[in-house]
Amino acid sequence: MKFYDVVIIGAGFSGIYMLYQCKQIGLSAVILEAAPGVGGTWYWNRYPGARCDIESVDYSYSFSPELDRDWVWTERYPAQAEILAYINHVVDRFDLRGDILLERRVSAMHFDERQSRWTLSADGEQLSAQYIVLATGLLSMPITPDIPGVESFKGKIYHTAQWPPEGVDFAGKKVGIIGTGSSGVQAIPVIAETAKHLTVFQRTASYAIPARNGPLPKEELDELKLTYADRRVATRNSAFGTYWSAYETNFVGALDSTPEEVEREYDLRWERGGYGFIAAFGDLLVNMEANKTAGDYLRRKVREIVKDPVTAEKLCPSESLPFGCKRLLITNGYYEAFNRDNVSLVNLPDDPIQRIEDGGIRTTSGLHDLDVLVFASGFDALTGTILKIDIKGVGGASLKDHWADGPRDYLGFMCAGFPNMFLINGPHAPGGNYVAIGEQMVEWVSRLLAHAKKNHIKTIATDITAEDEWLATIQKIATQLVAVSGCSSWFLGSNVPGKPRVLLVFFGSQGEFLRLNQECEKAGYKGLTLTKENEVAAN
């Protein structure tokens, strides 16, 4: 058995940074990664059009000014291949690859109370660690809808989150794609360029904004780097860890503006593209009447772009769906794709899927002949990958049982009854720029582990009372947002049949989350119990 101070599960952005930080504070650490390569979601999601919806200069590490200076992003929104190249560059630049074990899927983690250590099983290998860091990723467990007959389909089947590295040739093929979330709206325009015909099966029409992606001129990037440090600080204290949430938020309310002012502001945000549309007015997410102005505007835009009025109406989000209820989609030619002769839309609420047959998908209206089927059907977000692991804490208690009614934790970091185990970008962390959020969380854990090392701490734990207080805090914050109440989205687990419908995300700002973390730390890690080595031995 191999012994480590820290075992990190997952080699995405957060896991890699956690390994870097462990080296800085002198802790022995290793990453266990199920994939054949590093990169997390950016290793697996290689589908056509795969691209980040956060701007490249924000969706990157901030811990190294030298890294910022040397790396050259080429586009406003980085494609999957460029992000993966960046992650591999970081791993090699900071000499981390030797401490990353690939193709090691963790199946079990059990806590030994006598030793205050965790024992892990990963593809037949046994490891022991004082601390576990779960950096498993919020979108890392793909789900496929349970449709009768899928095994009878004679063509090829792919999932956007399990895309073959060699790619897929759609030339001359009749393709069907199920799902119009982030992955679907990115893949659809690209697949349509070469497919003989593309049939899009839409479950829910969601709000979408053009990305306005394009090359990032070197002179613009060089100028940005002169104030990069200030930008990083501002984004960390912003709502979503991005430039627009730090600098482009309009605190004036839509209801405090004239109709002409509202239209002008929306036009400005639409032309600029990206998530800045959310920040057009300060009351969009807290007042339903203001919220409706955004929904009405975006429905008008769909009708302007899509030439066929019947298809346009199907692509318009329902007026009963609040703007911001689901993650806003950032697109590159999505609506325009439906103006192509080789693209058709099946709106599943009107024409439900009955079954999959050997030659395609049969809906109520008839058989849709297909050679290839693509599932862009999303993820069991935030908890799916974690609960696949047999995690047993104090007294052999199961994390699956502890989370039976939904995830419970303290500050998004720790769970009662599971000492020395930390979550990064897991349940009840903020949403937004997950690189910036992950960095913040990794640094908090790293400072805590450095404190524990210096003070000979053996066990770090939280309790039910701290969990209850944290859950009450996130619930109180969420009730202020009209878009959350009554919403069905992966933010609440409602995209997975049988999953408890509870808050999975901290709906406050990243800045507020940072403040709450700092308060805990300044108060001597309030809500945590830190037990020294001699005290553990005495027990």
Side-chain angles (χ1 to χ4, degrees):
M1 183 180 294
K2 297 179 181 178
F3 291 79
Y4 298 92
D5 294 323
V6 185
V7 168
I8 303 155
I9 303 177
F13 270 100
S14 296
I16 289 167
Y17 186 43
M18 189 72 229
L19 177 60
Y20 171 85
Q21 285 290 347
C22 286
K23 285 176 168 284
Q24 299 305 300
I25 58 180
L27 296 175
S28 62
V30 69
I31 293 179
L32 302 180
E33 168 55 53
V38 300
T41 191
W42 298 109
Y43 177 87
W44 295 108
N45 286 264
R46 300 165 180 259
Y47 59 85
R51 185 178 300 277
C52 187
D53 53 14
I54 303 292
E55 294 188 40
S56 55
V57 292
D58 291 326
Y59 196 79
S60 53
Y61 292 117
S62 66
F63 68 88
S64 168
E66 294 76 21
L67 178 62
D68 280 344
R69 184 190 64 233
D70 296 344
W71 183 263
V72 178
W73 292 105
T74 64
E75 293 184 276
R76 180 183 179 191
Y77 294 97
Q80 175 268 337
E82 187 168 18
I83 299 171
L84 191 59
Y86 173 77
I87 295 172
N88 276 279
H89 171 76
V90 171
V91 167
D92 292 330
R93 182 187 182 106
F94 296 101
D95 193 24
L96 303 176
R97 202 171 294 274
D99 295 304
I100 301 173
L101 301 181
L102 301 173
E103 298 183 280
R104 301 293 203 285
R105 186 175 295 278
V106 178
S107 57
M109 291 169 32
H110 296 165
F111 186 67
D112 182 338
E113 296 172 60
R114 187 173 60 85
Q115 298 292 331
S116 292
R117 294 185 68 86
W118 287 90
T119 300
L120 300 91
S121 300
D123 288 313
E125 190 170 354
Q126 300 291 305
L127 300 92
S128 174
Q130 182 176 1
Y131 302 109
I132 298 291
V133 177
L134 291 166
T136 49
L138 69 156
L139 299 175
S140 55
M141 178 59 66
I143 56 173
T144 302
D146 185 14
I147 302 174
V150 65
E151 69 284 347
S152 66
F153 185 62
K154 299 301 185 184
K156 295 287 188 180
I157 298 178
Y158 303 97
H159 195 293
T160 50
Q162 297 168 321
W163 208 256
E166 66 275 13
V168 178
D169 183 6
F170 293 106
K173 305 290 186 182
K174 289 172 286 187
V175 183
I177 184 168
I178 298 176
T180 53
S182 293
S183 301
V185 301
Q186 289 184 340
I188 285 164
V190 182
I191 294 174
E193 291 175 0
T194 57
K196 180 178 181 180
H197 190 271
L198 174 62
T199 305
V200 178
F201 297 87
Q202 172 185 263
R203 295 177 291 180
T204 305
S206 297
Y207 296 104
I209 304 288
R212 309 295 185 200
N213 188 42
L216 186 59
K218 186 177 184 302
E219 57 273 18
E220 183 180 327
L221 182 60
D222 289 344
E223 184 176 347
L224 181 151
K225 288 180 179 181
L226 296 176
T227 58
Y228 219 161
D230 292 339
R231 177 175 176 138
R232 297 292 201 183
V233 172
T235 55
R236 276 204 179 195
N237 286 280
S238 69
F240 297 100
T242 58
Y243 178 83
W244 63 263
S245 61
Y247 295 99
E248 298 180 354
T249 299
N250 177 18
F251 294 100
V252 175
L255 300 185
D256 298 321
S257 306
T258 67
E260 293 76 18
E261 289 170 334
V262 169
E263 190 76 8
R264 186 162 54 247
E265 187 67 22
Y266 285 149
D267 282 344
L268 176 67
R269 304 285 173 145
W270 177 270
E271 291 305 317
R272 184 180 297 158
Y275 277 119
F277 194 93
I278 298 175
F281 295 101
D283 54 0
L284 292 187
L285 301 182
V286 296
N287 183 290
M288 193 57 80
E289 189 179 348
N291 188 279
K292 188 176 182 298
T293 66
D296 289 345
Y297 178 89
L298 294 175
R299 278 183 284 272
R300 290 200 305 274
K301 282 298 181 183
V302 176
R303 293 171 185 133
E304 289 175 11
I305 296 170
V306 181
K307 295 175 182 177
D308 176 46
V310 175
T311 301
E313 287 308 309
K314 291 177 181 177
L315 289 168
C316 284
S318 167
E319 292 189 17
S320 64
L321 182 72
F323 170 75
C325 160
K326 295 176 180 289
R327 185 179 173 99
L328 184 63
L329 304 177
I330 307 301
T331 73
N332 292 279
Y334 172 63
Y335 291 127
E336 291 81 356
F338 291 93
N339 292 328
R340 299 178 63 106
D341 293 336
N342 68 329
V343 177
S344 57
L345 177 67
V346 177
N347 194 40
L348 296 180
D350 302 328
D351 190 12
I353 293 175
Q354 302 299 309
R355 61 185 178 275
I356 296 176
E357 299 180 0
D358 59 354
I361 293 179
R362 183 172 295 280
T363 64
T364 301
S365 65
L367 181 67
H368 301 269
D369 189 21
L370 303 173
D371 303 310
V372 179
L373 178 56
V374 175
F375 286 107
S377 44
F379 301 86
D380 184 351
L382 293 156
T383 62
T385 303
I386 296 171
L387 292 179
K388 273 285 188 181
I389 305 171
D390 174 27
I391 301 177
K392 289 187 168 60
V394 174
S398 165
L399 184 67
K400 187 174 291 186
D401 291 340
H402 189 60
W403 285 5
D405 297 322
R408 296 178 54 86
D409 53 65
Y410 174 57
L411 284 178
F413 285 103
M414 299 197 74
C415 302
F418 299 85
N420 293 2
M421 184 183 85
F422 301 93
L423 307 168
I424 304 293
N425 276 340
H428 306 142
N433 179 359
Y434 286 100
V435 175
I437 296 162
E439 271 195 319
Q440 176 184 319
M441 296 187 76
V442 164
E443 288 165 7
W444 189 90
V445 172
S446 299
R447 290 193 299 272
L448 174 56
L449 297 189
H451 172 81
K453 180 183 179 184
K454 180 180 179 180
N455 293 280
H456 307 289
I457 302 297
K458 187 78 169 179
T459 306
I460 303 170
T462 191
D463 57 34
I464 294 293
T465 299
E467 283 188 339
D468 287 342
E469 290 176 355
W470 175 239
L471 291 175
T473 297
I474 63 174
Q475 184 67 46
K476 181 179 178 181
I477 291 170
T479 56
Q480 301 170 22
L481 303 177
V482 296
V484 174
S485 58
C487 177
S488 293
S489 74
W490 64 261
F491 293 149
L492 296 104
S494 53
N495 65 318
V496 180
K499 188 170 182 174
R501 192 179 183 283
V502 296
L503 290 171
L504 296 177
V505 176
F506 175 80
F507 283 99
S509 70
Q510 183 176 341
E512 186 173 8
F513 185 72
L514 176 61
R515 178 183 60 79
L516 292 169
N517 294 171
Q518 291 172 337
E519 286 180 1
C520 167
E521 192 172 352
K522 290 176 181 177
Y525 292 106
K526 180 183 177 183
L528 301 181
T529 300
L530 280 59
T531 307
K532 293 192 175 184
E533 293 175 357
N534 59 340
E535 295 169 331
V536 172
N539 292 332

